Amino acid sequence: IGRWKAQRIPIWSLAYFRFWLVKQLTVLSPLSLFQGYPLYNVYLRMLGAKIGRNVVLDCLHLPVCTDLLTVGDHTILRAHSNLSSYTARANYIVVGSITLGSHVVVGEGSSIDINTVMEDQAQLGHASALYEGQVVPAGVSYHGCPAQETTTDFRFNGKHAVGWVRQFAYSFIQLFLLLGVPAPL
């Protein structure tokens, strides 16, 4: 498909078929099974996403338009969150960007729509929705549907340094358990 760009793709066109085919191929990739693990970030970087260091993406669905995804360092998207890199509207697939700054926290079960920005230190609460065009300012917490400003802090209290050796070992063990154990059986 080449590089993704913000665009409108007419449904039932050749461009839509290409979009659908790329979506199916990325979902069928064995690397998509590593959601939430460091190896998943490597996979998304290979697809064109700009992902910082020490990022945890435990998304419900794989972002399709990866070239338009930017995630800063030390950002976490908790379980079952959704980065919708496209939306269907009036017989078109509308593709847009998602930008998450550094040290951003997205709560469990939250959804982020296209053309949204969460600046550094921003937070989105559990089961919340960030609608198209919304911007969460730096250091501010939002929650609800649509997301609105709140005073709640959604971060964990403890900070733990995790080195690259531990990240590599964890990914290697996960890969071994996925491929090394079932294959001989």
Side-chain angles (χ1 to χ4, degrees), residues 19 28 128 167:
F19 169 83
L28 292 175
S128 298
Q167 291 177 3

Side-chain angles (χ1 to χ4, degrees), residues 36-58:
Y37 302 111
L39 195 56
Y40 185 65
N41 297 346
V42 173
Y43 175 54
L44 290 178
R45 285 184 192 116
M46 288 190 301
L47 292 176
K50 295 167 246 3
I51 298 177
R53 298 179 313 115
N54 298 324
V55 171
V56 176
L57 297 175
D58 195 4

Side-chain angles (χ1 to χ4, degrees), residues 107-124:
E108 189 170 327
S110 293
S111 181
I112 300 177
D113 205 355
I114 61 173
N115 301 323
T116 54
V117 176
M118 291 184 72
E119 297 176 353
D120 296 344
Q121 303 283 334
Q123 300 178 48
L124 183 63

